[in-house]
Amino acid sequence: MAAEAEDAASVVGKSVMVVGIDDSEHSFYALQWTLRHLFYPAAGSSSPFKLVVVSAKPTPTSVIGLAGPGAADVLPFVESDLRKISLRVIEKAKEICTSHSVADVEFEVVEGDARNVLCEAVEKHHAEILVVGSHGYGAIKRTVLGSVSDYCAHHAHCTVMIVKKPKPKH
Amino acid sequence: MDESKEPVATEGREKMTVLVAVDESEGSLYALSWALDNLFAAAVGGAPNKPQPLGRLVLVHAQQPLQHFIMHPVGPAVYATSSVIDSVKKAQEQNSRDVIERAKGICRRRLRPASMVFCTQQVEAEAVIVTGDPKETICQAAEQMQTDLLVVGSRGLSKIRR
């Protein structure tokens, strides 16, 4: 264990951390919190984790819902909107990583339901830990835990860290 | 978001208070080991000569409250005499102490400085025993201690049984 820690500079042996993000303040907060608390500034020392930032892009059909008359016309607009949103999300994530001097990052946009996308990303990268925010873009305010973070906590095959954005104190 | 404009601390990452819920289960002790390995052991990556206080580690163990009535599924309720209560209480306290000792042992083993690297990282493991329903008391403890991160083990139950 100690020898491995000394070789932390080499990529081999680094644990992979997947951070799931979407277009919500909660997930950007989760990414920032993770970088602040679990990563060192890059000056000379390397972090213990290799970071993979995954953004799930919903499929256009899931956004439109049941196909009805006119759905086919709307599809291309929804598709391009979703693409713009996911690019913006990744750009913002890149900015956050740069401002925390974290360079060893991979960014991925995967189409599909966030629940499956994140769990599959964990499998694909053999991640040691999955980080998610506690509420997504479409959360009902009443729910204590968002459905994606709840699903991942139960189904991801690794440690799951749910980062909660603090509520503003009254 | 203003947080992204905060200057990054040059001496290391932000310290945090980590609360680890422990009980007799292997799952919780594994979670403790995992947290020590992945969240605190990173100190060796930092400047070896600079002391890096990593934060505060608090072990919390929730013990069930004692009931004065020992209910049998069939038959009359039996009121436990005070001597029975006392001995059960003592046994329970001993059990809690054992859990905490075991957890502290894991902390000591994991955080011992590696002989090759001069490591001044110090994480003192504090221990707290709370009484009551673990779900609520652990969350309350997390709130009271201004915890940054709560670590719990997972029992790996199947999808049907949560």
Side-chain angles (χ1 to χ4, degrees):
Chain A
M1 209 46 203
E4 265 181 26
E6 280 173 61
D7 289 334
S10 69
V11 176
V12 177
K14 256 199 188 183
S15 310
V16 176
M17 174 189 289
V18 171
V19 180
I21 54 168
D22 63 8
D23 189 24
S24 73
E25 287 305 313
H26 290 273
S27 62
F28 292 125
Y29 178 83
L31 179 60
Q32 286 166 344
W33 192 98
T34 305
L35 296 178
R36 280 212 310 268
H37 289 88
L38 299 181
F39 284 80
Y40 288 109
S45 65
S46 59
S47 71
F49 293 108
K50 172 173 171 50
L51 193 60
V52 178
V53 175
V54 176
S55 171
K57 179 164 137 328
T59 55
T61 40
S62 72
V63 172
I64 296 172
L66 292 171
D73 300 332
V74 180
L75 210 63
F77 295 105
V78 174
E79 169 71 51
S80 80
D81 261 355
L82 289 175
R83 198 177 315 126
K84 266 191 238 154
I85 290 172
S86 61
L87 285 174
R88 197 177 64 212
V89 165
I90 292 290
E91 274 315 303
K92 186 152 183 196
K94 281 185 181 168
E95 274 170 44
I96 293 172
C97 290
T98 318
S99 74
H100 284 85
S101 314
V102 174
D104 188 11
V105 200
E106 248 181 66
F107 296 90
E108 277 185 15
V109 176
V110 184
E111 190 167 291
D113 184 303
R115 283 170 280 229
N116 300 319
V117 164
L118 294 181
C119 292
E120 280 165 27
V122 165
E123 300 297 314
K124 175 178 155 197
H125 295 277
H126 305 290
E128 184 87 20
I129 172 168
L130 170 65
V131 181
V132 289
S134 60
H135 280 96
Y137 192 46
I140 305 164
K141 286 200 177 144
R142 274 191 329 240
T143 19
V144 175
L145 199 63
S147 60
V148 173
S149 42
D150 183 66
Y151 182 88
C152 290
H154 287 99
H155 295 95
H157 294 148
C158 66
T159 297
V160 178
M161 181 162 85
I162 299 173
V163 180
K164 301 188 181 185
K165 188 164 189 271
K167 295 189 186 58
K169 300 267 190 286
H170 303 295
Chain B
M1 284 266 282
D2 292 330
E3 277 131 339
S4 57
K5 301 205 175 56
E6 266 175 18
V8 178
T10 47
E11 58 279 7
R13 53 178 196 182
E14 220 167 281
K15 296 190 270 291
M16 55 176 168
T17 300
V18 178
L19 202 74
V20 182
V22 291
D23 62 10
E24 301 86 351
S25 72
E26 287 301 318
S28 70
L29 297 172
Y30 176 82
L32 173 62
S33 307
W34 190 96
L36 292 168
D37 289 340
N38 289 280
L39 304 178
F40 286 106
V44 294
N49 298 319
K50 244 173 32 170
Q52 291 223 23
L54 292 174
R56 198 179 157 206
L57 176 67
V58 182
L59 306 168
V60 63
H61 173 64
Q63 61 182 21
Q64 296 288 357
L66 285 175
Q67 290 158 340
H68 283 246
F69 286 91
I70 299 169
M71 303 294 289
H72 297 277
V74 175
V78 177
Y79 183 81
T81 59
S82 51
S83 57
V84 172
I85 291 286
D86 279 343
S87 63
V88 172
K89 210 174 176 182
K90 280 207 185 75
Q92 197 188 47
E93 281 166 12
Q94 184 58 46
N95 182 52
S96 298
R97 276 198 292 271
D98 289 341
V99 167
I100 295 286
E101 268 317 301
R102 208 167 149 199
K104 280 194 165 173
I106 292 175
C107 294
R108 276 192 292 269
R109 275 197 298 277
R110 281 297 201 286
L111 297 175
R112 192 168 297 141
S115 51
M116 303 297 284
V117 177
F118 176 63
C119 218
T120 54
Q121 37 97 331
Q122 285 299 324
V123 180
E124 289 301 313
E126 302 163 40
V128 171
I129 298 176
V130 290
T131 306
D133 175 30
K135 294 193 290 288
E136 290 164 27
T137 50
I138 289 171
C139 289
Q140 276 166 15
E143 185 81 33
Q144 281 161 10
M145 295 187 206
Q146 289 162 337
T147 307
D148 294 303
L149 182 67
L150 173 64
V151 177
V152 295
S154 153
R155 286 188 288 160
L157 295 173
S158 70
K159 290 174 201 170
I160 300 162
R161 226 170 23 125
R162 290 265 180 104

